[in-house]
Amino acid sequence: MSRAIDRRKFLGLAGAGLGGLALGGCGVLSTDGRQRLPSPARASGTGRVREYALEAAPAGFEIAGREFSTWGYDGGVPGPELRLTEGDTLRVRLKNALPAGTTIHWHGLPVENPMDGVPDVTQPPVRSGEEFVYEFVVPTAGTYMYHSHVGLQLDRGLYGPLIVEPKREELSYDREYTLLLDDWLDGVFGTPEDALAELRGAGGMMGGMGGMMGGPGGGPAMSGAVDYPYYLVNGRAAEDPASLAVRRCDRVRLRLMNPSSDTVFRFAAAGHRLTVTHADGLPVRPVTVDAVRIGMGERYDAILEANNPGVWQLAAVPEGKDGLARALLRYEESRGESPPPANARPPELGGRLLSYADLRDAGERSFPEDGLFSGPDRTHELTLSGDMGSYAWHIDGQRYPDADPLEVREGEWVRFNLQNHSMMWHPMHLHGHFFQVRNGTGRGPFKDTALVEPHMGELSFDLVANNPGEWFFHCHNAYHMETGMARLVSYGR
Ligand code: C2O
Ligand code: CU
């Protein structure tokens, strides 16, 4: 294919090079893009082993003073933070005290295939009453999460943060906070399985359940079809927010994660801007914005300069739905000041919104570097669509598990071109790899999850097949994944 594409790419790269020079040469051009991408084969170990035990079990859970029951890790939602350094060995003993089989997936980390936690693909589900030990060398630093990969268990409380520190931290900051954004219905109005049954019965729109699911509200850019009774930050509703203590002049690192099942959030900090430093765990050229849109499965790290004392709303608004999740940013200098009302929407939400086109890999890496005058070895053109009559979601007209694996060979440079033929967002997630989003800069961000916008939205990304195994590629909307929006990418075994 494609003299034309090669030429465009060449021009794109030329432009990026000049940009780099103009900025004082902070970027180093890689001549070895394929080799420098994280993969388990490259992880050099520290020799240190970090051991954790996690029990997945039914748990009582309080939201704004009301008691509900759900499934969680170690009795809480979110599950406990796992924190270690890149190159450490993570060893997690999972004890399954649920009345159903379960697994853990290490979302975003390119681990060895047998440790990836996809039921019936990389392991049988861990049965009720049994244990399983996950163990792998953590290949790369960043902001990740862990969650169950069985059925709709993610839409219960079975998720938690996984923070991997670099061997040497290059970012300077005074404090850090992790914010997990979630949509919550479990135990309030039945279970996620009940919600799916309702979607199936209602042609893909929830409206029943005593009116509690709200209905389609929000128009064409809905992030999902389920209106949740609660939106949470770190397991807490807007009426009962967590407070992040800061002091004037602190540089505060926020680790934002969206482990929700059906909600794209827009996040902003009242009175402050956000300098985004990492996308899906990996460093990007810092870019300062007012608001960040974060799809299910995505993560962003951002620095907030605490230069505006007060008590401020950190708001996460569900796109196309009613409601709001929040935490408070509370300056120690402003003790005694009362917080903004629970539903206050910072004007920053309507300010400059981060887009993928703003993001560039911090190392200025690009795979096409070593293939500047050639194209990818293989391209998959795939449509994303749904059949609302039966409530089923498709990749290129096929519904997993009745779907062909996407062919890839080891070592290939592979391109995916995705086009969204539906009216919903699809955060597409690939296991075992980072891919480079083609955003017109020639030096796009490396990510593991990326949103494809509704109504013919397009996403193109490149990857190098450097981690053999059977990998899941799917929409991170739990309801879309569960009803077919998934494929396998298998190679090298
Ligand atoms: Cu976060 Cu396949 O999952
Ligand atoms: Cu989807």
Side-chain angles (χ1 to χ4, degrees):
M1 50 190 283
S2 67
R3 277 291 101 195
I5 285 178
D6 293 341
R7 178 153 172 76
R8 262 208 313 277
K9 194 191 318 145
F10 177 72
L11 294 173
L13 286 170
L18 287 176
L21 284 180
L23 283 163
C26 17
V28 179
L29 289 184
S30 161
T31 51
D32 196 12
R34 290 192 191 205
Q35 291 314 310
R36 292 182 51 186
L37 298 170
S39 82
R42 292 187 55 253
S44 67
T46 57
R48 224 177 4 237
V49 180
R50 296 281 177 174
E51 294 209 52
Y52 290 94
L54 287 176
E55 183 182 64
F61 177 45
E62 193 188 297
I63 302 176
R66 294 177 62 195
E67 268 289 326
F68 302 106
S69 58
T70 186
W71 295 355
Y73 294 113
D74 286 10
V77 180
E81 177 185 278
L82 310 185
R83 185 178 282 261
L84 66 175
T85 301
E86 68 181 315
D88 288 354
T89 294
L90 177 62
R91 184 184 295 154
V92 176
R93 179 177 299 274
L94 166 66
K95 183 170 183 305
N96 183 7
L98 300 170
T102 195
T103 62
I104 298 181
H105 170 59
W106 315 97
H107 178 103
L109 280 179
V111 301
E112 299 140 58
N113 195 240
M115 293 292 123
D116 197 44
V118 181
D120 303 317
V121 174
T122 64
Q123 68 175 114
V126 182
R127 287 191 300 201
S128 184
E130 298 191 347
E131 295 190 347
F132 184 87
V133 177
Y134 291 93
E135 179 168 338
F136 51 87
V137 175
V138 174
T140 182
T143 297
Y144 303 94
M145 49 199 201
Y146 62 92
H147 63 78
S148 165
H149 215 294
V150 170
L152 297 169
Q153 290 180 6
L154 172 61
D155 209 15
R156 300 186 187 231
L158 291 166
Y159 66 84
L162 170 55
I163 311 292
V164 185
E165 290 174 352
K167 287 177 183 153
R168 209 173 53 107
E169 183 59 73
E170 311 212 327
L171 196 61
S172 83
Y173 53 94
D174 302 297
R175 350 184 153 206
E176 67 167 274
Y177 290 103
T178 297
L179 299 176
L180 292 106
L181 315 178
D182 195 13
D183 47 18
W184 193 271
L185 60 79
D186 189 37
V188 185
F189 304 132
T191 63
E193 288 71 26
D194 297 331
L196 178 57
E198 190 182 342
L199 288 169
R200 286 199 160 115
M205 293 295 173
M206 304 199 79
M209 293 187 123
M212 292 179 290
M213 294 298 183
M222 296 158 49
S223 56
V226 185
D227 259 348
Y228 287 77
Y230 293 108
Y231 296 96
L232 309 176
V233 176
N234 295 351
R236 296 173 72 165
E239 300 90 301
D240 170 37
S243 274
L244 281 46
V246 298
R247 224 176 289 153
R248 202 181 132 78
C249 297
D250 278 349
R251 280 167 61 84
V252 184
R253 178 182 196 166
L254 300 176
R255 297 180 187 265
L256 304 168
M257 310 192 195
N258 182 350
S260 81
S261 285
D262 186 68
T263 303
V264 176
F265 286 96
R266 186 185 294 226
F267 177 88
H272 298 78
R273 304 195 83 201
L274 301 166
T275 299
V276 174
T277 58
H278 297 71
D280 292 357
L282 299 182
V284 293
R285 295 270 285 261
V287 48
T288 301
V289 295
D290 297 303
V292 172
R293 174 184 281 147
I294 172 168
M296 300 78 101
E298 289 190 296
R299 291 91 59 212
Y300 287 105
D301 289 34
I303 294 283
L304 178 153
E305 307 269 1
N307 53 12
N308 194 3
V311 182
W312 298 100
Q313 191 89 313
L314 301 177
V317 171
E319 294 276 23
K321 300 180 179 185
D322 295 329
L324 181 146
R326 69 160 176 172
L328 297 174
L329 185 73
R330 191 181 279 279
Y331 282 69
E332 287 173 6
E333 293 83 351
S334 309
R335 225 164 299 159
E337 256 177 61
S338 49
N343 61 0
R345 292 180 172 239
E348 287 79 1
L349 287 165
R352 174 146 143 60
L353 180 67
L354 181 77
S355 91
Y356 290 161
D358 297 323
L359 292 172
R360 291 173 60 152
D361 176 56
E364 295 282 320
R365 292 174 300 183
S366 167
F367 305 78
E369 190 64 34
D370 56 346
L372 193 54
F373 299 102
S374 64
D377 300 311
R378 188 189 293 276
T379 300
H380 285 293
E381 307 274 355
L382 302 169
T383 58
L384 307 175
S385 63
D387 171 357
M388 290 308 94
S390 59
Y391 199 72
W393 289 94
H394 303 136
I395 294 178
D396 224 34
Q398 295 187 13
R399 178 180 178 187
Y400 190 85
D402 299 321
D404 302 322
L406 297 170
E407 197 175 322
V408 163
R409 295 237 169 80
E410 189 168 359
E412 283 182 338
W413 164 15
V414 184
R415 176 163 298 168
F416 280 62
N417 293 328
L418 306 176
Q419 192 179 57
N420 188 347
H421 291 195
S422 76
M423 55 187 282
M424 297 278 169
W425 295 92
H426 300 293
M428 299 304 294
H429 173 52
L430 176 63
H431 289 211
H433 303 76
F434 293 102
F435 52 75
Q436 185 165 35
V437 175
R438 299 180 65 232
N439 65 356
T441 66
R443 294 286 186 273
F446 286 86
K447 295 183 99 273
D448 53 69
T449 310
L451 278 168
V452 192
E453 297 196 20
H455 299 302
M456 304 308 279
E458 293 184 333
L459 175 74
S460 178
F461 62 75
D462 285 353
L463 64 105
V464 169
N466 61 0
N467 192 9
E470 288 195 87
W471 301 107
F472 223 40
F473 171 62
H474 66 93
C475 179
H476 219 277
N477 181 309
Y479 295 88
H480 297 183
M481 178 185 86
E482 182 62 5
T483 57
M485 198 170 239
R487 289 291 187 98
L488 283 177
V489 175
S490 327
Y491 61 88
R493 40 174 61 201

